[in-house]
Amino acid sequence: MKSKLSKRRPSPSMVVAMLALFVALGGSAYAASQINGSNIKKNSIPGNRLKNDSVTGTQVNASTLGTVPNATNATNATNATNATNATNAETAATAALATNAGSAAEFAGLPPSSYVNGANIQTGVSNGGTDTTNSPQTAIATCPAGQVVIGGGGGNDAPTGDVTFDSLQVTSSTYEVIMFKITGTPSWHDTAWAICANP
C-alpha cells in the first residue's frame, strides 16, 4: 500500500517568521556594506568606544594641539633670552642670578662695562727687596702692558713706628710709594702694590 504525502500550506505565523528572518539577514548585510564615516554624526562617539592605539599621529593634526604645560619655556634653554635663576646660562642675554654666565650680555642687570675686567695685583719693592738703612726709599709697582692702574697701596717691614709714608705717586700704569725713616736706625725696605685692569 502506497503512502501519500499530504500537502500543507504554511501557517500565517510561519510566513511572518520567515519574512522577519530574511529581512534581518538582509539588513545586516546592508549595514555592513553601507555605513561609513559620512553616516556617523560628529561628536557622537565617545573616546572610550575607540579601540586602544587606533588613533595615531597619522590621524592627528599636530598643529591643532596645544603646548604641553611644562614645555612652554623649554624650547631652548641653552640659548635662553632670560635665565632668571639658572645655575648655568652659557649664552643667556640676561642672567640675573646665574651661578655661571659664560657669555651673558648682562649680569644682575648691569653690562660688562660696570665690572672690572682682567683685574690683577702687581708688586714692586725698594732696593730689590734688600733691607737697608737708607731713607727715603721708593717702591714702584707697574701694570702689565695694555692695562691701567685702578688702585693700589704700600707697606714696609720696618719696626712699627720707625718708618712712615712720604708720598704716593700714580700714573696710568704705575703706583709709586715713597717712605722715610722717622726714628731709630732700622734696616728696611718698602713695598708698593698696584691694582691693574683692562681699560
Side-chain angles (χ1 to χ4, degrees):
M1 181 177 181
K2 295 182 179 179
S3 63
K4 293 182 179 181
L5 297 174
S6 62
K7 295 181 180 180
R8 298 181 60 186
R9 293 182 179 181
S11 67
S13 60
M14 178 63 74
V15 173
V16 172
M18 295 297 292
L19 181 61
L21 176 61
F22 292 141
V23 170
L25 292 175
S28 298
Y30 174 84
S33 63
Q34 298 299 320
I35 295 178
N36 55 47
S38 62
N39 304 119
I40 301 175
K41 184 179 179 181
K42 292 183 179 180
N43 302 318
S44 64
I45 299 179
N48 62 6
R49 292 296 183 268
L50 299 177
K51 182 180 179 181
N52 289 342
D53 301 323
S54 61
V55 178
T56 66
T58 303
Q59 291 82 28
V60 177
N61 183 355
S63 64
T64 64
L65 301 177
T67 303
V68 178
N70 290 335
T72 302
N73 298 313
T75 303
N76 194 332
T78 301
N79 298 299
T81 301
N82 296 293
T84 305
N85 297 298
T87 301
N88 295 289
E90 293 181 1
T91 56
T94 302
L97 300 172
T99 304
N100 298 301
S103 303
E106 294 184 351
F107 181 74
L110 298 175
S113 57
S114 300
Y115 296 89
V116 175
N117 184 13
N120 62 92
I121 297 177
Q122 298 297 317
T123 302
V125 292
S126 62
N127 303 316
T130 301
D131 289 346
T132 71
T133 58
N134 296 338
S135 181
Q137 295 190 34
T138 301
I140 301 175
T142 303
C143 290
Q147 292 196 321
V148 297
V149 173
I150 61 172
N156 65 78
D157 65 344
T160 302
D162 286 0
V163 174
T164 190
F165 280 98
D166 180 21
S167 63
L168 302 174
Q169 298 183 22
V170 182
T171 69
S172 61
S173 61
T174 62
Y175 198 94
E176 181 178 295
V177 176
I178 302 174
M179 295 185 175
F180 67 95
K181 178 178 62 179
I182 56 175
T183 185
T185 56
S187 182
W188 61 287
H189 72 272
D190 69 348
T191 303
W193 299 282
I195 303 174
C196 309
N198 295 329

